[in-house]
Amino acid sequence: MVCADGFIRRVHPILAAYVVDFPEQCLVACCKENRCPQCVVHRNERGASTPCPLRDVKETLSTLDEHQRGKKPPEFEEEGLRAVYNPFWRDLPYTNIFACFTPDLLHQLHQGVFKDHLVKWCEALLGEDEFDARFKAMHAHAGLRHFKKGISAVSQWTGTEHKEMQHVFMGVLAGAVNAQVLTVVKSLIDFIYYAQFQSHTTRTLDALQYSLDTFHANKSIIVTLGIREHFNIPKIHSLQHYVSAIRSLGSADGYNTEAPERLHIDFAKKAYRSSNKRDYTSQMTVWLQRQEAFALRQSYLDWLDHKLTSAFPSVTYSIPKAALFPDVTVAQLETIHGAINFLPVFAHFIQKFFPRCSLDPSRHDRFVVYKQLSIQLARNHFISDKARTCCIHATPATLARGRSPGVPAHFDTALINTENLLAYKVRDSFPCLNQGFIIHQGTKFQRT
Ligand SMILES: [Zn+2]
């Protein structure tokens, strides 16, 4: 193989990871489907929190051989094996097939633990109507989906729906269930979030394990309340293998089954389209090499960028070019925009954050009001390489006019950590504040 440094090397690939659905995992591991393809846990004990020894390649093969010779080794029954005598991995060097199975975020977490179990438990606790009513009652907010009709009306459950529900799930249940149930919900939701990180450290893996331990320590409440009789569920058991799988194979999002389909578009279709469609294999190869060079360079630049931004944390914002309300009086601010006591609060804000500012708010009576503000949040490399933005909306109610119906007021709630603002020096990190842009009462913002 020609390597990146131009040298030609003899390469011996080793089978290290195997992305496949649960029934196929069991077939490949030569075990029954009521067993774990990775460890020798008993079929009735998959709800327990105690880890079990992993299956062993040599021992499994020798048990299978003995069984084939007509003997009845006790391990065959104990480990739930089935009579697949010549698995394809028998002669593969350095391969431990039982450690090859990758976590499956979509089927095990989103569709399995979340939709098939957690949502059903909570629905049974609250009743379908109350559950729906709580989803409907959630406050609408940019970036969060508002389930206007509740969730029993959702006919198509895709990964997107699951993630949108997980965003608001804790809010839906808070106050409706007792504290221990809430702990169970929180621990599983935490587990799902940590498991999706695109990169991990010992700390994040500890947090992942801690969520699972918390779930096991509190799960008995679900039995006490009569929702379930046991937790002997294959997908609940599969959570036990996440930390070790991530340690040995890398973060779980890399094994998402959506990735290979996406890569086919990027690496094959796009490459073919950029060729002149004649003798395209070599053209596609050159195109791929160039894309790789771009990607390598880009990742270096991103790394530099990350080093710089983490050394100088900054917050940037963007507002529309033109304000929706360019000329608003203080009286209108208080009545239409709901900014009660505007001038005294504004004066207090200026005095607190800009003690040396000469601006006298009491001498201003007209303000420019924007209806939205996008704040660029610091990148979180655990979650994504992309920049994150947070959009805050504030629009007063519009009255019905002619045939167009009125629109109710929409004021987002914004929690602003002023301690951090001060720590980073307000002026440097919030350039908007230098220009007299202020955020008032968390929800409404004006500009002098
Ligand atoms: Zn297992």
Side-chain angles (χ1 to χ4, degrees), residues 36 39 237 241:
C36 171
C39 69
H237 171 78
H241 298 296

Side-chain angles (χ1 to χ4, degrees), residues 190-383:
D190 279 352
F191 188 94
I192 294 174
Y193 276 117
Y194 284 125
Q196 294 176 82
F197 276 13
Q198 61 165 12
S199 73
H200 278 279
T201 61
T202 318
R203 243 180 80 213
T204 62
L205 287 176
D206 285 349
L208 183 67
Q209 186 60 48
Y210 177 76
S211 327
L212 184 60
D213 295 343
T214 312
F215 164 71
H216 282 299
N218 290 281
K219 67 184 181 202
S220 60
I221 185 72
I222 304 289
V223 176
T224 313
L225 292 170
I227 304 296
R228 271 201 76 89
E229 288 174 1
H230 62 81
F231 290 92
N232 188 26
I233 305 167
K235 281 168 184 163
I236 297 276
H237 171 78
S238 72
L239 307 184
Q240 287 214 5
H241 298 296
Y242 268 63
V243 171
S244 59
I246 291 171
R247 272 187 206 281
S248 61
L249 301 172
S251 62
D253 75 326
Y255 299 103
N256 198 329
T257 38
E258 289 160 53
E261 287 167 33
R262 176 73 228 164
L263 294 181
H264 178 70
I265 298 174
D266 287 349
F267 292 168
K269 288 189 173 173
K270 278 190 185 168
Y272 176 75
R273 279 186 206 129
S274 65
S275 73
N276 64 3
K277 277 99 181 160
R278 290 172 65 186
D279 187 21
Y280 46 80
T281 315
S282 64
Q283 292 181 52
M284 284 167 72
T285 316
V286 171
W287 184 88
L288 269 178
Q289 274 175 352
R290 289 180 182 156
Q291 299 303 312
E292 277 177 7
F294 281 138
L296 205 62
R297 177 75 180 163
Q298 188 58 49
S299 68
Y300 170 69
L301 292 176
D302 287 346
W303 173 77
L304 265 187
D305 189 40
H306 174 69
K307 263 180 70 170
L308 286 175
T309 48
S310 48
F312 304 101
S314 68
V315 182
T316 55
Y317 75 102
S318 58
I319 47 170
K321 273 185 187 165
L324 190 67
F325 311 103
D327 188 28
V328 180
T329 63
V330 174
Q332 284 171 326
L333 273 178
E334 298 201 339
T335 50
I336 301 171
H337 295 266
I340 304 154
N341 266 342
F342 175 71
L343 276 185
V345 177
F346 185 35
H348 174 75
F349 178 87
I350 295 288
Q351 200 191 6
K352 178 164 181 197
F353 288 100
F354 310 100
R356 278 171 292 176
C357 177
S358 58
L359 181 82
D360 179 8
S362 61
R363 287 172 53 199
H364 295 261
D365 59 350
R366 284 177 179 273
F367 293 84
V368 178
V369 179
Y370 288 83
K371 68 167 186 172
Q372 72 178 58
L373 168 78
S374 295
I375 298 174
Q376 202 104 61
L377 302 174
R379 280 171 201 239
N380 185 331
H381 62 275
F382 288 115
I383 301 170

